[in-house]
Amino acid sequence: MTATKIGIIWNPSKIDEGTLRSAVDDALDGDVQWWETSEDDPGLGMAKEAIAAGCETVIAVGGDGTVRAVAEGLAGSDAALGIVPQGTGNLLARNLEVPLDDIPAALARISAGETRQIDLGWVNTGGEDQAFMVMVGFGIDAQMLVETDDDLKDRAGWLAYVEAMGRAMAGTEMTGITLALDGGGAQEVRGHTLLIGNCGMVQGGVRLLPDAKLDDGLLDLLLVSADGALQWLDTVRSVVWDNGIRRLLTRDETAVSTESTRHLTAERIRVELEQPLAFEIDGEEVGEVSSFDVHVQAGGLRVH
């Protein structure tokens, strides 16, 4: 690869150090510097140190939390993010088609040196802005899909995610939501799930945000308001058929909204909730929030 300085930021709870160092020695040339994440810092500070040290490529080795923290530290810099996925969901890696469960293949992709610019999402829940790579929101979320019953996943594939969605919906209640898109007038809606994403594919090949692209300068929004069994079936049809199988068959590029599933896009989104709800950023719960602001940073990150 053309980079002469490489930073490795690795999560020791996800991989054996000896195994990783051996794979890196076999795959990468140049000056390789190492940083280990900690409970107090999952990678943000290490990424900034890597930039200060002159690293041209910074490789995040871990799960979605490690990748998100490192990406936030690299945002707006010239350094490129490489990913060696070692988590359960590995959602950004899936959307970038990074090899999973194959450390040498993931490192070979980085070693090839090709990069692209992708967007970053930023969310503020009342404090500092936090970056996200995949999606934020409440209700049906990435973590719920990651934790879908393993036995059912083995037997039923993507149908396991439909079952998981049903369980999640059964345990949630509708709430009032005030939405303002791109500085426009506020609109009052009701729903039990709101997702805002930079990319849309989760495990099992399910695309919750079928129009989401990592480099289109937009964020995609999914509002689910299934009230009762009939609307739940409508939601399943929307996710599995209208925005899943049908799109593959027809190559239709437009997401289909229904009575219970509404798709929108925007660069900036302001959300106020009727009551505080548990909120997640890239599958990690960050506590309850009653309002939040989201915006996209177009082309904010280079990735391998």
Side-chain angles (χ1 to χ4, degrees), residues 136-140 175 177 191-195 271 273 277-279 292:
V136 300
F138 58 86
I140 302 173
T175 190
I177 305 168
H192 54 69
T193 298
L194 177 64
L195 298 177
V271 179
L273 303 176
L277 294 173
F279 190 75
F292 56 94

Side-chain angles (χ1 to χ4, degrees), residues 1-6 24-25 27-33 56:
M1 64 189 299
T2 58
T4 56
K5 273 198 172 183
I6 304 164
V24 168
D25 289 342
L28 303 179
D29 296 320
D31 178 11
V32 180
Q33 301 186 39
E56 295 143 297

Side-chain angles (χ1 to χ4, degrees), residues 236-293:
V236 172
R237 180 180 61 80
S238 173
V239 172
V240 174
W241 174 253
D242 291 336
N243 294 299
I245 298 172
R246 183 192 64 83
R247 284 170 61 99
L248 293 175
L249 295 175
T250 64
R251 298 185 179 181
D252 190 342
E253 293 293 324
T254 304
V256 175
S257 292
T258 70
E259 184 178 354
S260 63
T261 59
R262 185 177 177 187
H263 293 272
L264 300 165
T265 60
E267 296 178 23
R268 291 182 172 273
I269 303 166
R270 169 70 178 171
V271 179
E272 297 181 9
L273 303 176
E274 186 176 67
Q275 59 189 15
L277 294 173
F279 190 75
E280 300 211 10
I281 302 176
D282 282 355
E284 179 182 358
E285 188 169 324
V286 296
E288 292 189 342
V289 305
S290 55
S291 65
F292 56 94
D293 293 277

Side-chain angles (χ1 to χ4, degrees), residues 1 6-9 20 28 57-68 70-71 74 80-87 89-111 114 118 133-134 199 214 301-304:
M1 64 189 299
I6 304 164
I8 307 286
I9 300 175
L20 178 60
L28 303 179
T57 290
V58 180
I59 302 173
V61 185
D64 290 320
T66 304
V67 171
R68 185 180 75 83
V70 173
L74 299 181
L81 170 69
I83 303 173
V84 177
Q86 293 293 295
N90 302 314
L91 297 179
L92 179 62
R94 292 174 190 277
N95 282 271
L96 288 171
E97 299 183 347
V98 174
L100 306 178
D101 303 317
D102 191 336
I103 295 172
L107 289 171
R109 174 188 173 111
I110 298 167
S111 181
E114 296 183 7
I118 67 170
M133 308 302 300
V134 183
C199 52
L214 280 163
L301 184 68
R302 287 178 63 215
V303 296
H304 284 283

Side-chain angles (χ1 to χ4, degrees), residues 61-272:
V61 185
D64 290 320
T66 304
V67 171
R68 185 180 75 83
V70 173
E72 181 170 329
L74 299 181
S77 75
D78 292 329
L81 170 69
I83 303 173
V84 177
Q86 293 293 295
T88 305
N90 302 314
L91 297 179
L92 179 62
R94 292 174 190 277
N95 282 271
L96 288 171
E97 299 183 347
V98 174
L100 306 178
D101 303 317
D102 191 336
I103 295 172
L107 289 171
R109 174 188 173 111
I110 298 167
S111 181
E114 296 183 7
T115 64
R116 59 181 285 200
Q117 297 289 139
I118 67 170
D119 304 334
L120 276 174
W122 292 90
V123 60
N124 191 311
T125 60
E128 296 182 352
D129 283 355
Q130 298 180 73
F132 65 93
M133 308 302 300
V134 183
M135 61 185 71
V136 300
F138 58 86
I140 302 173
D141 54 27
Q143 188 63 28
M144 179 278 297
L145 291 165
V146 165
E147 293 177 350
T148 299
D149 181 80
D150 287 334
D151 290 336
L152 185 56
K153 279 192 283 190
D154 291 340
R155 295 196 309 269
W158 60 265
L159 288 174
Y161 297 93
V162 177
E163 187 272 344
M165 288 171 63
R167 283 190 288 107
M169 288 184 177
T172 57
E173 297 181 357
M174 301 274 277
T175 190
I177 305 168
T178 302
L179 288 176
L181 307 182
D182 291 332
Q187 48 185 310
E188 304 290 336
V189 297
R190 292 189 65 78
H192 54 69
T193 298
L194 177 64
L195 298 177
I196 299 171
N198 189 35
C199 52
M201 186 172 69
V202 294
Q203 282 189 327
V206 176
R207 290 190 176 274
L208 289 179
L209 302 169
D211 282 350
K213 296 181 176 64
L214 280 163
D215 57 1
D216 62 357
L218 293 170
L219 294 171
D220 288 67
L221 183 151
L222 170 63
L223 174 66
V224 182
S225 54
D227 189 9
L230 289 178
Q231 288 199 346
W232 156 233
L233 291 174
D234 181 62
T235 300
V236 172
R237 180 180 61 80
S238 173
V239 172
V240 174
W241 174 253
D242 291 336
N243 294 299
I245 298 172
R246 183 192 64 83
R247 284 170 61 99
L248 293 175
L249 295 175
T250 64
R251 298 185 179 181
D252 190 342
E253 293 293 324
T254 304
V256 175
S257 292
T258 70
E259 184 178 354
S260 63
T261 59
R262 185 177 177 187
H263 293 272
L264 300 165
T265 60
E267 296 178 23
R268 291 182 172 273
I269 303 166
R270 169 70 178 171
V271 179
E272 297 181 9

